[in-house]
């Protein structure tokens, strides 16, 4: 700007200055360019002596004063030129260091004087961002518009972006830099902008985390947590939930409490809430692998593939925190398989097989590896403000958060740099030491990791998860005694996982009874969705077999009592029941069961798996559009869940029903109807990549689909139908009414009363009703009891009571009903309205409830000599 | 052959279009009311009806009468209407004088008496169980078309 002024002034000289003044002006300009400001000042003054209104000389003089430190003199000259744009701009620059608001006002004045000036609005944006971010954004956009595609002043851009960031306008700040980079990817400040954006991403994530506030549970809460787990294991979800809500209310910074709460929420089908609780647990304890692991499995198992990316990320985070967690390695492989990331999946499975040559998934993992290597290239496919921590300054906490984010991004070097800086200022902070241990572990420095954990545990011994992690490292290094001690300490602190690890160690030590004791504790305290549960159950089976052998050897010694005892042992170990058991023990659930199974037939089978008949043909005939279309129906999309997810939801709802009635269901493994369907749907899920990318489908997929169609559409559908027809149908016979009548008559209330004979007008062969026998008996007993009570007020000889039966077909729906009519001629009033409004006795109310439960109705029809209480119930049909 | 598919979703129509195709042309009606309008406006050779309509906002049927029949409980009455809407639609179509053969998607295997009640009143009528795929549906549609006059 300054040279331009000189040039401009020189051009004007010719017109307005006399020759002498012109000579002085030229000399002044020349001296200024030569940075001989003293001479320039003298020459400018001479010009102004001869021509006081010559603005270029005033500007030059002010400029030179300012440059020589005579700031006030310069300002005075500029202030005397209130309508000169160059003077205003120069004045703004001069005053800004001491008075930014005045500078802002000057740029705004400049904007008004020269609306085409591109620099003024940019400076307004820069200077107003601290006081008025919205104004700054407007000015910035206006300046960009004026520039019309020319690159803006990089420093101003950065100043605006940083100012917005500082004012908490993160999105707007990122937007400024993002737009700049999109438009000028090689611009003046492009590199800085990129770096800044990366850093902001990290900081935002760190801020979301709000990490570092974890606190251990007190004894009372730890006990409550253990109680809650037992309640949950026993199926008492509601009490478990209440207990845990109490714990998190009292100890909101205890990750274990949030984690346990998440388990309960998941067990009760509240997947979203479970996710939030685990996120929060992970936020409180970012160095604990358990929470990202659980989140990863939640994403993988409950969203039918829609959140596999997040599942992968979470599982990788967990593995970074606990690299020896082989189960997760396998699950990661499964997720990557579903994502179509074949190389990564193969690597994960290979890592699993290497770590677990005889593990529970080894056979599966080897098969996957084989398949993957055979396959051609297929490419388918609450935050909270951080809590201040005593002794940890806020800036250190901030750095810790950044370290956590780097760790999650697997940027090990930056994570280490940050955490080392944190530890320089807070050397004994357990959270930072635990993170350092994790980094050391990842780098293969087990000694250093153990040392870091030692320091951490010295500062805070109540870290059960850290003890479990430490124990597993010790075990891997051959220090079994040390590992056992650490696991036992973790168990004392209420850690559930440690029981499983102790069981595994006892099993390895050939101590089946000790293993069994640990497993019992684990299975009693863990929820059905616990990560280690499948492993524990598999181990439990092995342990049981071994115990069986040991006991059998004892029995072979000749003890009959031993056989009985063995039977009891085996029975005690058996877990989970089929739906039959639930219906047998709690007949009142029949209608809920019927409704859910009907929904499975309708929502899972009817509308979806019937497509399986068509897809193989389409696949073989190259109708890939049809196959892909079917894939969306089967596996879902962003909006609609796939059928496996729907099926899972129905199973969960049945399992919850079971828990409410004290029956633990294992529908996925034990139920003769649903377990095969579950297995078939699991196989179908594994074909997802083939159907979504039929061009790359593997050989044999069509045949597999046909087999699955048979399993689901024929076997599954028919088995469901048979079950539905079997449960809840009872023949209504004359004997049923006579038996109930006999019972009622002998009740104490009717002792000595002269009751009329019940006239039963029911066909001898009976009619099947869709109702439970016990419920129908209760309805009958209550209605007869009501009638007899009312009849006591009438002359014995005149008392009449009867029950008759009629069949009716609904003319529109074709549905048939049976109308059971209970007649009596007792005095008194009873109307349908009284029944509807519940203005009735307890017995009649119970009858109404039972009838309603079976989709029936109850009404009163008055006749001249009495009333008919009519019970309508659906007629059961005999299937073809 | 024009088939009016009455369903509250798009499942049947889409899969029929995808897997059955010619000589059939499928036109969807999302409710009983839409079905009646479509039949009044154009000619159809066959009807295909789903039974359960739990996504339609407008249902045919006398809700008040059903509430009375269900112990005064509107929720149960509404559910009954949803569960059996296909039958209500068929009844309304027949009442409006449309006699095209109808194919219902419902497991009448388990309720043979009910099916006979409906066929006696609203025939010509056939059904497919829930697991029937598109090709079975195609065969059933062709069979309905070529049925002997009754």
């Amino acid at each position: 700007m300054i040279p331009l002024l000189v040039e401009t002034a020189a051009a004007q000289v010719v017109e307005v200055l006399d020759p002498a003044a012109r000579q002085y002006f030229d000399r002044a300009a020349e001296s200024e360019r030569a940075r001989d400001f003293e001479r320039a000042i003298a020459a400018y003054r001479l010009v102004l002596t001869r021509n006081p209104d010559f603005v270029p000389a005033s500007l030059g003089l002010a400029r030179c004063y300012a440059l020589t430190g005579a700031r006030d003199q310069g300002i005075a000259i500029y202030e005397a030129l209130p309508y000169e744009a160059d003077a205003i701009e120069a004045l703004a620059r001069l005053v800004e260091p001491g008075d930014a608001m005045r500078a802002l006002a000057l740029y705004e004045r400049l904007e008004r004087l020269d609306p085409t000036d591109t620099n003024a609005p940019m400076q307004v944006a820069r200077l107003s961002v601290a006081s008025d971010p919205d104004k700054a954004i407007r000015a910035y956009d206006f300046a960009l518009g004026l520039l019309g595609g020319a690159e803006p002043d990089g420093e101003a851009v950065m100043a605006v972006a940083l100012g917005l960031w500082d004012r908490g306008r993160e999105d707007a700040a990122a937007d400024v830099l993002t737009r700049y980079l999109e438009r000028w990817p090689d611009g003046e400040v492009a590199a800085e902008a990129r770096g800044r954006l990366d850093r902001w991403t990290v900081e935002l994530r760190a801020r979301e985390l709000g990490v570092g506030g974890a606190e251990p549970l007190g004894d009372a809460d730890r006990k409550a947590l253990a109680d809650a787990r037992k309640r949950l294991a026993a199926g008492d979800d509601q009490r478990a939930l209440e207990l845990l809500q109490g714990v998190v209310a009292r100890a909101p910074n205890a990750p274990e409490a949030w984690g346990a709460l998440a388990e309960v929420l998941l067990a009760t089908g509240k997947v979203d809430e479970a996710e939030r609780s685990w996120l929060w647990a992970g936020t409180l304890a970012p160095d604990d692998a358990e929470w990202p692991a659980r989140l990863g499995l939640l994403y993988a198992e409950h969203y039918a593939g829609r959140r596999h990316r997040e599942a992968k990320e979470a599982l990788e985070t967990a593995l970074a925190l606990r690299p020896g967690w082989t189960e997760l390695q396998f699950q990661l492989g499964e997720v990557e398989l579903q994502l179509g990331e074949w190389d990564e999946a193969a690597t994960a499975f290979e890592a699993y097989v290497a770590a677990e040559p005889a593990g529970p998934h080894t056979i599966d993992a080897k098969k996957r590896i084989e398949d993957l290597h055979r396959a051609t290239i297929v490419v388918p496919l609450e935050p909270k403000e951080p809590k201040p921590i005593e002794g940890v300054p806020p800036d250190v906490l901030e750095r810790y958060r950044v370290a956590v984010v780097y760790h999650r991004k697997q940027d090990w070097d930056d994570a280490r740099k940050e955490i080392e800086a944190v530890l320089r200022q807070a050397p004994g902070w357990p959270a930072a030491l635990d993170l350092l241990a994790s980094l050391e572990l990842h780098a293969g420095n087990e000694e250093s990791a153990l040392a870091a954990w030692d320091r951490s545990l010295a500062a805070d011994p109540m870290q059960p998860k850290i003890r479990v992690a430490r124990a597993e490292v010790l075990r891997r290094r051959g220090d079994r005694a040390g590992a056992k001690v650490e696991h036992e300490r973790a168990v004392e602190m209420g850690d559930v996982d440690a029981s499983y690890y102790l069981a595994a160690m006892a099993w390895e030590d050939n101590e089946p009874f000790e293993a069994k004791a640990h497993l019992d504790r684990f299975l009693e305290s863990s929820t059905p969705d616990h990560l280690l549960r499948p492993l524990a159950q598999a181990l439990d089976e092995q342990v049981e077999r071994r115990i069986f052998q040991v006991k059998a050897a004892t029995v072979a010694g000749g003890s009959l009592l031993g056989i009985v005892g063995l039977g009891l042992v085996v029975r005690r170990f058996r877990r989970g029941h089929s739906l039959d058991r639930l219906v047998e023990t709690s007949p009142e659930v029949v209608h809920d069961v019927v409704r859910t199974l009907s929904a499975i037939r309708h929502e899972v089978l009817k509308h979806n798996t019937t497509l399986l008949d068509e897809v193989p043909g389409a696949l073989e005939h190259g109708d890939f559009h049809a196959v892909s279309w079917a894939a969306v129906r089967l596996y879902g999309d962003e909006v609609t869940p796939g059928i496996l997810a729907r099926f899972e939801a129905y199973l969960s709802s049945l399992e919850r029903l079971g828990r409410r009635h004290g029956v633990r269901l294992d529908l996925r493994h034990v139920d003769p109807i649903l377990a095969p369907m579950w297995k078939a749907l699991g196989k179908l899920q594994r074909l997802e990549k083939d159907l979504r990318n039929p061009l790359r489908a593997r050989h044999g997929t069509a045949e597999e689909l046909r087999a699955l169609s048979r399993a689901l559409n024929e076997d599954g559908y028919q088995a469901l139908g048979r079950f539905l027809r079997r449960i809840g149908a009872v023949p209504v016979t004359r004997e049923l009414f006579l038996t109930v009548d006999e019972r009622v008559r002998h009740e104490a209330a009717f002792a000595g009363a002269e009751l009329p004979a019940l006239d039963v007008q029911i066909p001898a062969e009976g009619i099947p009703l869709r109702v439970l026998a016990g419920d129908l008996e209760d309805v009958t007993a209550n209605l007869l009891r009501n009638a007899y009570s009312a009849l006591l007020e009438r002359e014995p000889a005149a008392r009449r009571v009867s029950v008759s039966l009629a069949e009716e077909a609904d003319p529109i729906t074709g549905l048939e009903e049976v109308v059971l009519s209970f007649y009596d001629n007792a005095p008194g009033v009873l109307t349908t309205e009284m029944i509807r409004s519940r203005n009735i006795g307890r017995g009649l109310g119970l009858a109404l409830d039972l009838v309603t439960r079976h989709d029936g109705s109850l009404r009163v029809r008055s006749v001249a000599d009495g009333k008919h209480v009519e019970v309508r119930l659906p007629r059961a049909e005999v299937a073809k | 052959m024009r088939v009016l598919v009455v369903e509250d979703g798009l499942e049947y129509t889409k899969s029929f279009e995808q897997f059955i195709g010619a000589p059939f042309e499928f036109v969807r009606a999302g409710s009983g009311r839409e079905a009646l309008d479509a039949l009044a406006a154009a000619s159809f050779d066959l009807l295909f009806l789903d039974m359960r309509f739990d996504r339609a906002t407008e249902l045919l049927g006398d809700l008040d009468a059903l509430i009375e029949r269900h112990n005064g409980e509107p929720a149960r009455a509404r559910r009954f209407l949803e569960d059996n809407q296909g039958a209500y639609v068929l009844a309304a179509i027949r009442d409006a004088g449309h006699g095209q053969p109808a194919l219902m998607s419902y497991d009448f295997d388990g309720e043979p008496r009910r099916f006979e009640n409906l066929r006696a009143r609203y025939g010509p009528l056939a059904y497919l169980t829930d697991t029937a795929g598109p090709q079975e549906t195609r065969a059933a549609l062709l069979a309905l078309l070529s049925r002997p006059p009754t």
Side-chain angles (χ1 to χ4, degrees):
Chain A
M1 190 61 75
I2 289 171
L4 179 67
L5 273 175
V6 174
E7 293 301 324
T8 307
Q12 294 170 343
V13 169
V14 179
E15 297 171 13
V16 299
L17 295 181
D18 60 55
R22 181 183 163 189
Q23 195 177 352
Y24 293 139
F25 186 80
D26 289 343
R27 191 187 301 163
E30 191 179 336
S31 300
E32 190 179 348
R33 278 196 290 271
R35 304 189 68 78
D36 185 352
F37 300 122
E38 295 299 334
R39 286 175 70 91
I41 287 171
Y44 281 133
R45 289 178 68 119
L46 286 170
V47 176
L48 289 169
T49 306
R50 300 182 68 87
N51 195 336
D53 297 326
F54 188 56
V55 173
S58 297
L59 291 174
L61 181 61
R63 205 163 47 235
C64 291
Y65 276 137
L67 288 169
T68 54
R71 182 174 170 275
D72 292 345
Q73 286 168 285
I75 287 174
I77 295 170
Y78 287 138
E79 284 176 341
L81 299 167
Y83 300 104
E84 290 295 330
D86 290 338
I88 295 170
E89 183 174 350
L91 179 60
R93 286 176 190 245
L94 265 183
V95 302
E96 185 185 329
D99 190 349
M101 293 313 289
R102 186 175 176 207
L104 172 61
L106 287 164
Y107 282 119
E108 285 175 334
R109 178 178 172 76
L110 194 57
E111 270 189 311
R112 290 192 293 276
L113 279 175
D114 182 3
T116 63
D117 187 319
T118 57
N119 184 49
M122 188 59 87
Q123 301 308 327
V124 169
R126 181 176 64 81
L127 288 167
S128 61
V129 71
S131 57
D132 188 346
D134 289 325
K135 179 178 173 178
I137 293 168
R138 285 195 301 274
Y140 180 79
D141 288 340
F142 183 64
L144 286 188
L146 284 177
L147 282 163
E151 185 180 342
D153 173 22
E155 281 183 29
V157 171
M158 290 308 298
V160 170
L162 290 170
L164 288 169
W165 179 265
D166 289 342
R167 288 300 312 271
R169 303 290 295 271
E170 290 91 356
D171 289 346
D175 181 57
V176 166
L177 294 190
T178 305
R179 279 194 289 156
Y180 174 83
L181 287 169
E182 283 171 1
R183 197 73 186 268
W184 299 284
D186 300 315
E188 177 193 359
V189 290
E192 185 185 350
R194 276 194 197 91
R196 184 62 65 176
L197 273 175
D198 286 346
R199 178 79 189 183
W200 284 350
T201 307
V202 170
E203 285 182 22
L204 276 177
R205 187 77 188 95
R207 195 177 302 168
E208 277 176 21
L209 287 173
V211 289
E215 287 173 357
L217 283 174
D219 288 345
D221 284 331
R222 194 167 293 288
K223 185 176 175 307
L225 190 138
D227 285 350
R229 284 194 167 124
K230 282 181 187 165
R231 296 275 188 175
L232 184 62
D236 188 356
D237 301 346
Q238 192 52 40
R239 183 62 187 140
L241 193 61
E242 286 166 10
L243 281 167
L244 287 171
Q245 283 169 339
V247 175
V248 296
R250 288 189 297 275
N253 293 317
E256 285 173 274
W258 286 100
L261 179 63
E263 288 175 33
V264 179
L265 290 166
L266 191 65
T268 52
K270 294 169 183 166
V271 179
D272 290 350
E273 291 176 48
E275 181 191 350
R276 282 196 290 276
S277 290
W278 270 325
L279 274 172
W280 184 229
T283 298
L284 288 165
D287 41 18
D288 189 339
E290 181 164 355
W291 315 125
R294 295 206 174 202
L295 270 175
L297 293 185
L298 179 143
Y299 293 143
E301 290 170 3
H302 290 269
Y303 290 91
R306 295 193 311 284
R307 301 185 75 178
H308 272 3
R309 287 270 157 225
E310 289 163 272
K312 179 181 164 148
E313 191 182 324
L315 291 173
E316 284 176 339
T317 300
L319 277 167
L321 288 163
R322 204 191 294 178
W325 199 342
T326 52
E327 171 69 15
L328 290 193
Q329 198 75 54
F330 180 80
Q331 299 298 344
L332 175 64
E334 292 283 83
V335 168
E336 287 169 337
L337 200 61
Q338 297 293 328
L339 286 168
E341 295 175 350
W342 305 113
D343 291 343
E344 291 90 336
T347 305
F349 290 130
E350 281 161 0
Y352 177 83
V353 171
E356 298 278 4
H361 302 300
T362 305
I363 294 170
D364 284 341
K366 282 182 176 170
K367 189 172 179 313
R368 305 261 199 288
I369 293 166
E370 200 179 312
D371 288 346
L372 286 164
H373 286 164
R374 198 172 48 230
T376 51
I377 302 166
V378 184
V379 189
L381 247 76
E382 264 99 297
K384 184 172 162 182
E385 276 304 302
K387 179 173 168 281
I389 297 172
E390 198 177 339
V392 180
D395 59 323
V396 177
L397 185 57
E398 187 70 25
R399 290 200 83 151
Y400 171 72
R401 291 189 198 115
V402 171
V404 170
V405 175
Y406 278 132
H407 186 278
R408 288 192 177 181
K409 285 161 68 86
Q410 301 186 19
D411 183 348
W412 312 116
D413 292 340
D414 282 329
R416 181 178 286 274
K417 206 184 313 171
E418 297 290 340
I419 206 66
E420 283 174 353
V422 168
L423 284 167
R424 276 195 292 277
Q425 290 182 264
W429 186 17
L433 287 164
D434 293 339
L435 196 60
L436 176 65
S438 167
L439 287 168
E440 297 289 11
L441 206 57
H442 182 267
N445 306 326
E446 289 186 344
E447 285 288 353
S448 304
L450 289 170
W453 276 330
D454 285 345
R455 286 167 61 198
S456 167
L457 289 168
D460 178 10
M462 293 297 288
Q463 299 186 75
K465 292 294 174 199
I466 294 300
R467 292 200 181 275
V468 170
R470 189 174 185 280
E472 285 303 289
V473 172
L474 291 173
R475 183 163 77 127
R476 210 163 51 221
R477 291 163 63 85
D479 182 1
R480 296 178 69 80
K484 196 172 173 186
V485 168
E486 285 291 36
H487 276 318
E488 282 170 349
R489 283 186 190 163
V491 169
E492 285 166 17
M493 291 174 198
D495 190 87
V496 180
D497 296 5
S499 293
Y500 166 74
Y501 290 119
L502 282 170
M505 288 180 71
W507 178 246
E508 287 165 8
D509 294 339
N510 200 22
E511 294 288 350
F513 289 95
E514 188 186 336
K516 183 66 195 164
H518 291 307
L519 282 170
D520 276 351
R521 188 167 52 229
F522 175 85
L523 291 168
E524 186 181 81
S525 307
S526 64
T527 60
D529 298 314
H530 192 287
L531 275 181
L532 292 170
R533 204 170 175 86
L535 291 178
Q537 282 170 331
L539 181 59
D540 198 38
E541 282 176 21
Q542 288 180 288
V543 171
E544 275 184 33
R545 275 199 295 276
R546 179 70 61 80
I547 290 175
F548 186 92
Q549 288 162 358
V550 173
K551 296 246 178 189
T554 309
V555 170
S559 168
L560 182 61
L561 285 173
I563 294 174
V564 174
L566 180 61
L568 291 173
V569 168
V570 171
R571 191 173 305 157
R572 189 166 68 80
F573 293 158
R574 205 173 286 147
R575 288 185 174 81
H577 298 285
S578 69
L579 215 44
D580 263 329
R581 167 64 73 90
L582 175 62
V583 174
E584 280 167 19
T585 56
S586 310
E588 66 272 24
V589 304
V590 161
H591 281 271
D592 287 331
V593 170
V594 166
R595 197 157 292 134
T596 307
L597 294 185
S598 300
I600 289 175
R601 292 218 307 176
H602 191 270
E603 297 297 331
V604 176
L605 299 179
K606 179 177 179 178
H607 280 154
N608 298 293
T609 56
T610 50
L611 291 171
L612 293 176
D613 288 339
E614 308 303 324
V615 179
L619 202 56
E620 287 165 346
H621 294 109
D623 186 356
F624 295 147
H625 175 73
V627 177
S628 300
W629 178 84
V632 174
R633 282 277 292 277
L634 294 169
Y635 301 115
D637 52 26
E638 293 79 8
V639 180
T640 313
I643 55 171
L644 183 62
R646 290 193 214 177
F647 188 64
E648 275 186 326
Y650 289 127
L651 292 190
S652 298
S653 113
L654 287 170
E655 284 164 351
R656 283 198 298 278
L657 186 66
R659 280 200 294 275
R660 282 205 297 276
H661 291 84
V663 178
R664 166 168 284 184
L665 296 174
D666 186 1
L667 304 177
R668 292 164 174 83
H669 304 101
V670 172
D671 192 86
I673 300 168
L674 298 170
M677 290 179 69
W678 166 257
K679 196 172 169 190
L681 285 168
K683 285 183 181 170
L684 180 61
Q685 193 68 30
R686 286 198 283 277
L687 296 177
E688 179 177 1
K689 61 178 184 299
D690 288 345
L691 300 196
R692 290 212 190 262
N693 280 276
L695 270 168
R696 287 156 177 172
R698 286 168 294 180
H699 180 68
T701 299
E703 273 317 302
E704 277 189 70
L705 287 168
R706 287 194 179 96
L708 292 175
S709 177
R710 284 193 293 276
L712 291 166
N713 296 330
E714 294 175 24
D715 303 343
Y717 185 80
Q718 285 168 12
L720 275 175
R722 280 194 298 273
F723 185 81
L724 285 168
R725 285 191 283 274
R726 179 163 57 81
I727 60 172
V730 62
V732 181
T733 60
R734 180 183 170 80
E735 282 65 38
L736 183 147
F737 291 99
L738 291 174
T739 305
V740 174
D741 182 56
E742 191 63 15
R743 203 173 70 217
V744 173
R745 283 166 185 277
H746 284 89
E747 289 176 359
F750 303 119
E754 203 174 317
L755 298 178
L758 176 66
D759 179 11
V760 182
Q761 299 161 27
I762 308 278
E765 66 275 20
I767 291 177
L769 278 187
R770 192 156 293 291
V771 65
L772 294 171
D775 287 355
L776 183 60
E777 287 171 14
D778 285 347
V779 169
T780 302
N782 278 295
L783 294 180
L784 289 177
R785 193 177 294 122
N786 236 42
Y788 290 142
S789 297
L791 282 168
L792 293 178
E793 295 178 21
R794 197 176 175 105
E795 282 299 311
R799 295 169 186 168
R800 299 279 181 278
V801 62
S802 70
V803 56
S804 60
L805 181 150
E807 292 181 74
E808 285 182 9
D810 181 277
I812 296 177
T813 64
L815 286 165
E816 292 183 325
E817 285 183 327
V818 171
V819 186
L820 290 168
S821 182
F822 292 82
Y823 166 79
D824 70 72
N825 64 348
V829 178
L830 179 66
T831 64
T832 303
E833 288 65 38
M834 288 167 69
I835 291 176
R836 300 270 159 88
S837 61
R838 296 263 167 184
N839 184 20
I840 48 179
R842 201 166 66 88
L844 202 50
L846 179 65
L848 177 64
D849 289 342
L850 291 171
V851 168
T852 301
R853 182 191 291 171
H854 292 284
D855 282 337
S857 65
L858 200 150
R859 54 180 297 130
V860 179
R861 183 165 54 87
S862 294
V863 288
D865 58 345
K867 63 181 178 297
H868 292 268
V869 178
E870 290 182 347
V871 175
R872 288 171 179 267
L873 288 163
R875 188 190 202 281
E877 290 215 47
V878 179
K880 283 168 85 175
Chain B
M1 296 295 161
R2 283 167 57 80
V3 182
L4 181 64
V5 181
V6 192
E7 60 166 333
D8 57 347
L10 290 166
E11 290 87 357
Y12 287 117
T13 315
K14 290 286 182 191
S15 64
F16 293 167
E17 284 169 352
Q18 191 72 51
F19 292 110
I20 296 182
F24 296 103
E25 179 194 346
F26 298 98
V27 176
R28 175 189 173 264
S31 67
R33 177 62 50 202
E34 283 182 27
L36 291 170
D37 291 347
L39 286 163
S43 164
F44 289 91
D45 301 295
L46 289 167
L47 305 172
F48 181 94
L49 295 120
D50 195 5
M51 179 64 91
R52 189 163 175 241
F53 282 61
D54 54 357
R55 288 167 283 181
T57 49
E58 185 196 17
L59 297 172
L60 296 183
D62 185 344
L63 188 61
D64 290 338
L66 283 173
I67 291 171
E68 168 64 21
R69 197 167 124 187
H70 286 89
N71 288 335
E73 294 179 33
R76 285 181 59 216
R78 166 84 191 186
R79 199 177 74 217
F80 181 86
L81 213 47
E82 289 176 353
D83 289 348
N84 299 285
Q85 181 62 194
Y88 280 88
V89 174
L90 181 62
I93 287 173
R94 295 299 190 233
D95 287 349
H98 304 291
Q100 293 93 335
L103 184 60
M104 287 195 88
S105 174
Y106 187 74
D107 184 15
F108 283 114
D109 275 358
E111 298 174 33
R113 290 169 60 100
R114 182 185 183 190
F115 179 69
E116 284 310 317
N117 291 340
L118 286 173
R119 188 162 67 173
R121 198 171 174 97
Y122 302 123
L125 177 66
Y127 71 90
L128 285 169
T129 60
D130 293 352
T131 55
Q135 292 318 311
E136 207 176 325
T137 307
R138 177 191 171 88
L141 291 172
L142 287 170
L144 261 182
L145 277 175
S146 58
R147 82 194 193 290
T150 53

